[in-house]
Amino acid sequence: MAGVVDSIDVTTLAGVLANTDHAHAELAGAVLLDVREPWEFETARIERAVNIPMSTLVARIDEVRALQLTVDTPVVVICHHGMRSMQCARYLASQGVEHLINLTGGIDAWSTQIDPSVPSY
């Protein structure tokens, strides 16, 4: 359904990325779109994530579309705590991008709950 933004928690995403969560297997090839600023991305990130900062998203929407292998490829949007990513996901949905998923808790939750080697800031 166009305009809908789903959510995923870090535990579920970690299982998908590790190929251990078969209930969400359709997310295995998801694009991980990190909308934080470059310095934040350099500080802490999830492997495979692509950085297109919120501040440049409007000008780079075609890049986001190009990241999707098909229109059915899910896009998991990531930020520090999950608020900027939700705003970005809603914007992308308003521009016709589909299969958007917000990472609740963001990189902060990833660092504290999944991978403590990812720095908190």
Side-chain angles (χ1 to χ4, degrees), residues 51-72:
N51 185 223
I52 298 180
M54 181 181 196
S55 61
T56 66
L57 190 60
V58 172
R60 298 176 67 185
I61 192 163
D62 288 335
E63 288 180 58
V64 175
R65 287 187 179 109
L67 290 170
Q68 288 183 295
L69 298 177
T70 70
V71 294
D72 294 326

Side-chain angles (χ1 to χ4, degrees), residues 5-118:
V5 176
D6 292 321
S7 293
I8 190 171
D9 61 61
V10 294
T11 303
T12 303
L13 181 60
V16 167
L17 296 178
N19 200 26
T20 59
D21 184 337
H22 303 295
H24 297 93
E26 74 282 1
L27 299 178
V31 173
L32 304 181
L33 176 63
D34 194 315
V35 296
R36 296 173 300 138
E37 292 303 309
W39 73 266
E40 293 176 284
F41 186 73
E42 290 303 316
T43 300
R45 68 175 148 242
I46 298 172
E47 193 69 32
R48 270 188 37 198
V50 176
N51 185 223
I52 298 180
M54 181 181 196
S55 61
T56 66
L57 190 60
V58 172
R60 298 176 67 185
I61 192 163
D62 288 335
E63 288 180 58
V64 175
R65 287 187 179 109
L67 290 170
Q68 288 183 295
L69 298 177
T70 70
V71 294
D72 294 326
T73 301
V75 177
V76 177
V77 188
I78 303 163
C79 72
H80 193 193
H81 290 109
M83 290 174 266
R84 277 182 284 177
S85 55
M86 181 57 88
Q87 288 178 315
C88 291
R90 287 182 178 149
Y91 168 74
L92 291 168
S94 77
Q95 299 302 303
V97 178
E98 296 186 28
H99 302 284
L100 294 157
I101 304 165
N102 183 54
L103 182 63
T104 57
I107 195 72
D108 187 67
W110 186 268
S111 175
T112 58
Q113 297 175 35
I114 304 302
D115 186 355
S117 72
V118 173

